Amino acid sequence: MPAPVQLLGFRLRIAHTRQDLLAACSVRAGAYGRHLPQLQQSLLAPDDMDSDAHSSVLLCEEKRSGKPVGTMRLQHSLGGPLQIEHSVAMPAEVLACSRVELTRFAVSQGADPLVRLALMKAAFLHSRAAGVQLMLLGARSPALVRLYQRLQCSELFGAGASFPLQHAGGLPHRVLINDLRSVEARWRAAGHAWLGFMLDTWHPDIDVTRNPPASASADQALPLAA
């Protein structure tokens, strides 16, 4: 039986141009600026990691207005140590696996409530397609920790342990991990409330392919890994 199809009020794709990155940065600056105004100005421009060959920036835009409303960045360990690994000594068994780190997770105030979950679905699909084994996440806010835990991420160093992260302004973050090799089986065994959205529904508006759109000219396209 074909998977049910759900259309969303927004489109979610990979950023391919500098204009895309600036749109993602506007969401970052707005979201982080609400709680950390000292970081807002620095987040308005892309950083080196945004155009790294082993990073992907996800961008979510409203269909009706074209307004950017959500973003997230994924860094793959294929290019070397993850940013979080410069601040936290990871266990050997973690370093032996292929890994992706989720950073710059931001959603605009008043955005469709599904944007946050759609970004997590896109990160899962993109990581799974790349053969990634482990997902690493740093979380500062209790609400974000709860979201990750609902997706069956666990705290790598025990409940409540936090570490200052260089790439997050030196602020203390809890470190969470999800084993992508077993997560689908775990979600199905638990009858997870988000199982239908995350795995069993096709969302044509979520596109995590690497190919740039036909409208992106060669001089606009970012250097993205195959």
Side-chain angles (χ1 to χ4, degrees), residues 32 36 84 88 101-105 116 136-149 153-155 160-165 167-168 171-177:
Y32 284 90
L36 300 167
I84 198 169
V88 182
E101 180 186 1
L102 274 56
T103 60
R104 299 293 192 259
F105 188 9
R116 188 179 298 267
L136 289 165
L137 317 97
R140 189 182 63 86
S141 75
L144 194 53
V145 171
R146 288 193 296 271
L147 171 66
Y148 292 153
Q149 289 175 334
C153 301
S154 58
E155 293 196 60
S162 62
F163 303 82
L165 300 184
H167 62 299
L171 296 170
H173 285 63
R174 290 154 74 173
V175 178
L176 295 99
I177 192 168

Side-chain angles (χ1 to χ4, degrees), residues 44 78 105 114 148 159 176 201:
L44 284 170
L78 188 64
F105 188 9
L114 285 177
Y148 292 153
L176 295 99
T201 302

Side-chain angles (χ1 to χ4, degrees), residues 123-204:
F124 169 74
L125 293 176
H126 189 55
S127 299
R128 185 171 66 174
V132 172
Q133 296 170 302
L134 302 178
M135 182 179 285
L136 289 165
L137 317 97
R140 189 182 63 86
S141 75
L144 194 53
V145 171
R146 288 193 296 271
L147 171 66
Y148 292 153
Q149 289 175 334
R150 287 195 68 184
L151 290 166
Q152 296 196 349
C153 301
S154 58
E155 293 196 60
L156 184 57
F157 298 98
S162 62
F163 303 82
L165 300 184
Q166 297 174 25
H167 62 299
L171 296 170
H173 285 63
R174 290 154 74 173
V175 178
L176 295 99
I177 192 168
N178 206 337
D179 190 334
L180 299 183
R181 297 165 294 187
S182 63
V183 67
E184 180 172 349
R186 286 186 279 117
W187 285 346
R188 293 196 183 282
H192 200 287
W194 293 337
L195 182 64
F197 185 93
M198 295 293 288
L199 294 177
D200 295 336
T201 302
W202 178 42
H203 293 101

Side-chain angles (χ1 to χ4, degrees), residues 10-177:
F10 52 85
R11 295 187 179 90
L12 203 167
R13 59 186 177 86
I14 294 176
H16 290 287
T17 68
R18 180 165 178 80
Q19 288 71 28
D20 290 343
L21 286 183
L22 289 172
C25 287
S26 71
V27 178
R28 291 176 189 170
Y32 284 90
R34 291 197 299 270
H35 308 288
L36 300 167
Q38 70 274 22
L39 297 181
Q40 185 170 23
Q41 192 64 33
S42 65
L43 292 172
L44 284 170
D47 60 31
D48 291 343
M49 187 57 66
D50 286 323
S51 55
D52 184 86
H54 298 287
S55 291
S56 297
V57 176
L58 304 179
L59 176 63
C60 186
E61 300 162 306
E62 287 183 342
K63 285 183 179 177
R64 292 182 64 180
S65 67
K67 176 184 175 183
V69 291
T71 185
M72 177 189 286
R73 183 170 69 201
L74 289 76
Q75 181 197 2
H76 197 301
S77 62
L78 188 64
L82 301 176
Q83 286 187 303
I84 198 169
E85 293 166 5
H86 294 292
S87 300
V88 182
M90 295 291 168
E93 58 269 26
V94 170
L95 298 177
C97 296
S98 59
R99 310 171 304 287
V100 68
E101 180 186 1
L102 274 56
T103 60
R104 299 293 192 259
F105 188 9
V107 176
S108 297
Q109 196 166 23
D112 187 324
L114 285 177
V115 168
R116 188 179 298 267
L117 193 56
L119 283 164
M120 290 303 303
K121 174 171 181 168
F124 169 74
L125 293 176
H126 189 55
S127 299
R128 185 171 66 174
V132 172
Q133 296 170 302
L134 302 178
M135 182 179 285
L136 289 165
L137 317 97
R140 189 182 63 86
S141 75
L144 194 53
V145 171
R146 288 193 296 271
L147 171 66
Y148 292 153
Q149 289 175 334
R150 287 195 68 184
L151 290 166
Q152 296 196 349
C153 301
S154 58
E155 293 196 60
L156 184 57
F157 298 98
S162 62
F163 303 82
L165 300 184
Q166 297 174 25
H167 62 299
L171 296 170
H173 285 63
R174 290 154 74 173
V175 178
L176 295 99
I177 192 168

